[in-house]
Amino acid sequence: MIKDRSSKHGAPVTMKDIAKEAGVSVATVSHVVNNKPGARIGEETRQRVHEAVELLGYRTNALAKNLSSGSSRFIGLVADAIATTPFAGQIIHGAQDEAWKHGYVLLVANTDGNQAAESDAIAMMLEHQVRGILYSTWYHREIEVPDPLLQTDTVLVNCFSTGSGLPAVVPDEEQGGKTATQELIASGHQRIAFINTTTPSPALTGRLAGYRSALEDAGVAYDKSLVIPATPEQEGGYEATTAVVASGATAVFCHNDRVAMGLYDGLRVRGLDVPTDVSVVGFDNQEVIAAHLRPPLTTVALPHYELGAAGIRVLLGIDPEQDKGTYLIDCPAIRRQSV
Amino acid sequence: MIKDRSSKHGAPVTMKDIAKEAGVSVATVSHVVNNKPGARIGEETRQRVHEAVELLGYRTNALAKNLSSGSSRFIGLVADAIATTPFAGQIIHGAQDEAWKHGYVLLVANTDGNQAAESDAIAMMLEHQVRGILYSTWYHREIEVPDPLLQTDTVLVNCFSTGSGLPAVVPDEEQGGKTATQELIASGHQRIAFINTTTPSPALTGRLAGYRSALEDAGVAYDKSLVIPATPEQEGGYEATTAVVASGATAVFCHNDRVAMGLYDGLRVRGLDVPTDVSVVGFDNQEVIAAHLRPPLTTVALPHYELGAAGIRVLLGIDPEQDKGTYLIDCPAIRRQSV
DNA sequence: ATGAAAGCGCTAACAA
DNA sequence: TTGTTAGCGCTTTCAT
């Protein structure tokens, strides 16, 4: 082990060192180390190289490799908020795993929605010769595509920009809303309230469309008075309780889990039990909340992990091209005990 | 713009192209592009180079730069769970910002606590010639240092390994527990219950020590019967309510916000009001919960962002060396309306 | 079956 | 003030 220079500091071991140690040329070392397909290397030589690698603790220099081969195994991921929510984290996670699977590593940048930070981040990625960039937002919305993004392959994740021509991977809000409503219908409810958000967004319109579609499929008439607007947080859900109770609904589909949490409180205050008196389903599947409410909340998951993973696949051209570049990801039902 | 080859695809513009266009040598280009300190370049030449850069849309190749200069501006961050919690996200965010500030970019890897993934991640980082690695966990605990980590500069974030000699940046649990308790004492409480976790951890012992220390400072005797063990989730808090009420405490310090959330439910069921009947303070400052409980929860924040940022500073040798390589980060009180 | 040599895009002495 | 010349560590023809 006396020759080991691989640890902590000191000059790193290079191919040249291996070549010398094994008494071969660097070309040969390159061939055996990378296990090149059409490389005719004698078994004995191969052996010697491997031994030298082992002995000196050689580790390939990815930077040199990228430069030389002209390839680069980087993929950039710019996110507007790694921080605020667990959601963005899941997108990163999915992208990470999928990228890794294909031999790529992720260059992550958080921009906090700051224009300058965004430009810097993209510039930095471009300088690192990324294969492409995933541009993601923590909640589903339409965005204005930052100019520098056009200089490389990019796919939008959890957001879209009509007219930009960029592929976009987004959750299927309508299917999600429909799924949520169907959970309620399936358990016998007919009079179903829908606490929808007041924030204009794909979620607002999509989930509503899904709600209506489910109702229609079930042959129950759409009653406008059953959709109750509320700010998409606990407070909104709490305040909407009055309207929910007044509506005579036996079940409610909440725009998200936080709203459901507020509703739980409102119901409890009125001595109403979930799900005996009223069934409720949420949206998002925000673990900390949904899984630990009493009773645990049945909800529909926002497929963040899948969004990230699919984004990578689209970027790499692995997923087959889809309709107008829009890739809808399914929002599955997560059944717990509130229905 | 006819010469612009910088966009989407096609051969990238290199320094050589700029040199040719500006009629100078690549060395000169390198000098003006990097604004080298001791470089005497004529104003007129400088101008020509800049124009060529502009015209051709030149962008430096970070990989080549790193290779050539032998430096590398990468820092690796391996996390056991980007996903599960918003916490890890904050660590990344802090590390990100701080690294960026010093001209470094983060190579993030999620391991899901999987040994193999961990080794792969570290190997990949080493291959990319990272300046060093931040090894972080999503909850504060002692860890076994993965062997390959010893081959580079590494700092532990939100975890530690006694005897490893590695610097560790961790939250100051004791100070945090003390702070939480003092919030209660400051508002006049003497009989303060402490719902502690049942999970052996630095949090369990540290926060308890802080609780006792605050009591002692205030001259109130420590009453063992006031510390109530509970699983560190909503369910635990809910179940602990009986004991809390029985103890006659007028205030309770909960091991974390989720426990506080469960306690809120338990209290509400018994018709007890927060904070009129009993004051409560949490720990973690888990936004989704703490800020939206009714009433909003006063708590103590786990400084994840700071942990990440400090980790980078320690790695880069910016922060002054501290006691035995352990860097304690403050857990500040976040005042809301539950006290 | 193996090696020599050129070159990836850039930096860094050292000349001129 | 600017250009020449070596590399950085690796890949990749093309010889041998």
Side-chain angles (χ1 to χ4, degrees):
Chain A
M1 265 309 202
I2 210 165
K3 298 184 178 189
D4 190 335
R5 284 181 292 159
S6 75
S7 53
K8 210 105 179 197
H9 292 299
V13 178
T14 75
M15 270 197 176
K16 202 170 1 181
D17 298 320
I18 302 302
K20 180 144 29 123
E21 178 71 25
V24 297
S25 74
V26 295
T28 302
V29 175
S30 175
H31 280 143
V32 356
V33 163
N34 295 311
N35 218 320
K36 269 290 153 95
R40 260 164 278 289
I41 307 284
E43 195 42 55
E44 196 259 343
T45 308
R46 203 176 280 278
Q47 205 46 47
R48 280 216 314 287
V49 172
H50 280 134
E51 273 159 16
V53 165
E54 205 59 34
L55 178 64
L56 304 191
Y58 169 75
R59 167 135 30 215
T60 192
N61 179 328
L63 278 61
K65 182 180 222 146
N66 283 348
L67 176 59
S68 178
S69 66
S71 69
S72 158
R73 285 358 297 267
F74 290 117
I75 288 178
L77 166 28
V78 0
D80 64 347
I82 297 187
T84 334
T85 80
F87 296 161
Q90 285 284 22
I91 292 179
I92 296 178
H93 192 198
Q96 178 83 60
D97 287 357
E98 191 69 23
W100 204 280
K101 195 180 299 176
H102 301 289
Y104 284 86
V105 342
L106 228 51
L107 245 34
V108 183
N110 189 223
T111 66
D112 288 321
N114 171 342
Q115 282 271 333
E118 197 166 271
S119 290
D120 286 358
I122 296 173
M124 166 258 135
M125 287 170 176
L126 259 15
E127 287 177 5
H128 282 84
Q129 320 298 116
V130 292
R131 169 56 226 281
I133 292 181
L134 254 46
Y135 184 88
S136 80
T137 51
W138 74 270
Y139 70 93
H140 183 186
R141 61 191 170 101
E142 172 152 26
I143 55 148
E144 186 98 17
V145 178
D147 224 55
L149 228 41
L150 273 2
Q151 290 179 228
T152 184
D153 288 337
T154 112
V155 1
L156 270 19
V157 173
N158 208 24
C159 54
F160 61 98
S161 175
T162 53
S164 69
L166 293 181
V169 179
V170 296
D172 191 340
E173 304 283 1
E174 180 165 349
Q175 165 273 324
K178 185 165 185 173
T179 299
T181 311
Q182 287 174 330
E183 285 296 311
L184 263 11
I185 291 174
S187 99
H189 296 280
Q190 296 267 106
R191 194 153 180 77
I192 301 171
F194 173 29
I195 304 185
N196 203 1
T197 180
T198 51
T199 312
S201 61
L204 185 158
T205 53
R207 294 176 198 175
L208 177 58
Y211 166 75
R212 298 189 60 160
S213 164
L215 254 28
E216 188 174 333
D217 283 9
V220 358
Y222 170 63
D223 178 349
K224 209 178 159 184
S225 76
L226 280 174
V227 357
I228 302 160
T231 54
E233 287 176 349
Q234 283 91 327
E235 292 77 359
Y238 185 75
E239 282 154 22
T241 315
T242 310
V244 167
V245 172
S247 77
T250 62
V252 16
F253 162 26
C254 298
H255 181 261
N256 66 30
D257 295 348
R258 289 176 301 157
V259 165
M261 177 173 162
L263 178 65
Y264 265 49
D265 275 358
L267 256 18
R268 183 154 28 229
V269 162
R270 288 168 178 74
L272 262 18
D273 183 78
V274 175
T276 316
D277 299 315
V278 19
S279 287
V280 2
V281 358
F283 208 107
D284 286 4
N285 191 31
Q286 199 159 0
E287 182 71 15
V288 245
I289 293 180
H292 299 282
L293 247 22
R294 288 175 330 98
L297 182 68
T298 287
T299 190
V300 167
L302 234 18
H304 290 102
Y305 181 95
E306 249 320 304
L307 287 174
I312 294 289
R313 274 184 257 114
V314 170
L315 178 65
L316 260 22
I318 294 169
D319 272 8
E321 174 109 16
Q322 271 196 20
D323 184 45
K324 301 181 304 175
T326 295
Y327 299 74
L328 257 25
I329 308 294
D330 227 62
C331 300
I334 306 293
R335 300 198 176 86
R336 281 191 270 249
Q337 286 113 60
S338 62
V339 174
Chain B
M1 265 311 204
I2 211 167
K3 299 184 178 194
D4 191 334
R5 284 181 292 159
S6 75
S7 52
K8 211 108 180 196
H9 292 299
V13 178
T14 74
M15 269 197 176
K16 202 169 3 179
D17 298 319
I18 302 302
K20 179 142 34 118
E21 177 72 26
V24 297
S25 73
V26 294
T28 303
V29 175
S30 176
H31 281 145
V32 356
V33 164
N34 295 311
N35 218 320
K36 267 295 155 85
R40 257 163 278 290
I41 308 284
E43 194 43 54
E44 197 260 343
T45 308
R46 201 177 282 277
Q47 205 47 44
R48 279 215 315 287
V49 171
H50 279 134
E51 273 159 16
V53 165
E54 205 60 33
L55 178 65
L56 304 191
Y58 169 75
R59 168 137 28 217
T60 192
N61 180 327
L63 278 59
K65 183 180 219 146
N66 283 350
L67 177 58
S68 178
S69 67
S71 70
S72 158
R73 307 310 344 236
F74 289 118
I75 288 179
L77 166 28
V78 0
D80 63 347
I82 297 186
T84 334
T85 80
F87 296 161
Q90 285 284 20
I91 292 179
I92 296 178
H93 192 197
Q96 177 83 60
D97 286 357
E98 190 71 23
W100 204 279
K101 195 179 299 177
H102 301 289
Y104 283 86
V105 341
L106 228 50
L107 244 35
V108 183
N110 190 224
T111 66
D112 288 321
N114 170 342
Q115 283 270 331
E118 196 166 274
S119 289
D120 286 358
I122 296 173
M124 167 258 131
M125 287 171 175
L126 259 15
E127 287 178 4
H128 282 84
Q129 320 298 118
V130 293
R131 170 54 227 282
I133 292 180
L134 254 47
Y135 184 89
S136 79
T137 51
W138 73 271
Y139 70 92
H140 183 188
R141 63 191 169 99
E142 173 150 27
I143 56 148
E144 187 98 16
V145 178
D147 224 53
L149 228 42
L150 273 3
Q151 290 179 230
T152 184
D153 288 336
T154 115
V155 1
L156 270 19
V157 173
N158 208 24
C159 55
F160 61 97
S161 176
T162 53
S164 69
L166 292 182
V169 179
V170 295
D172 190 339
E173 305 282 1
E174 179 165 349
Q175 166 272 324
K178 185 164 185 174
T179 297
T181 311
Q182 287 174 331
E183 284 296 310
L184 264 10
I185 291 175
S187 97
H189 296 281
Q190 295 267 105
R191 192 149 181 79
I192 302 171
F194 174 28
I195 305 184
N196 204 2
T197 180
T198 50
T199 312
S201 62
L204 186 158
T205 54
R207 293 175 198 175
L208 177 59
Y211 166 76
R212 299 190 59 161
S213 164
L215 254 29
E216 188 173 334
D217 283 8
V220 358
Y222 170 64
D223 177 350
K224 209 177 160 184
S225 75
L226 280 174
V227 357
I228 302 160
T231 53
E233 287 175 351
Q234 282 92 325
E235 292 78 357
Y238 185 75
E239 282 155 21
T241 314
T242 310
V244 167
V245 172
S247 76
T250 62
V252 17
F253 163 26
C254 298
H255 180 261
N256 66 31
D257 295 347
R258 289 177 299 159
V259 166
M261 177 174 163
L263 178 65
Y264 265 50
D265 275 358
L267 256 19
R268 181 152 30 226
V269 163
R270 288 169 178 74
L272 263 18
D273 182 78
V274 174
T276 316
D277 298 316
V278 19
S279 287
V280 3
V281 358
F283 208 107
D284 285 5
N285 191 31
Q286 199 159 359
E287 183 70 15
V288 246
I289 294 181
H292 300 283
L293 247 21
R294 288 176 329 99
L297 182 68
T298 288
T299 190
V300 167
L302 235 19
H304 289 103
Y305 181 94
E306 248 320 304
L307 288 174
I312 294 289
R313 273 184 258 114
V314 170
L315 178 65
L316 259 23
I318 294 169
D319 272 8
E321 173 109 18
Q322 271 194 22
D323 183 44
K324 302 182 301 174
T326 295
Y327 299 75
L328 257 26
I329 307 295
D330 227 63
C331 300
I334 306 293
R335 299 196 177 88
R336 282 192 271 249
Q337 287 112 60
S338 63
V339 174

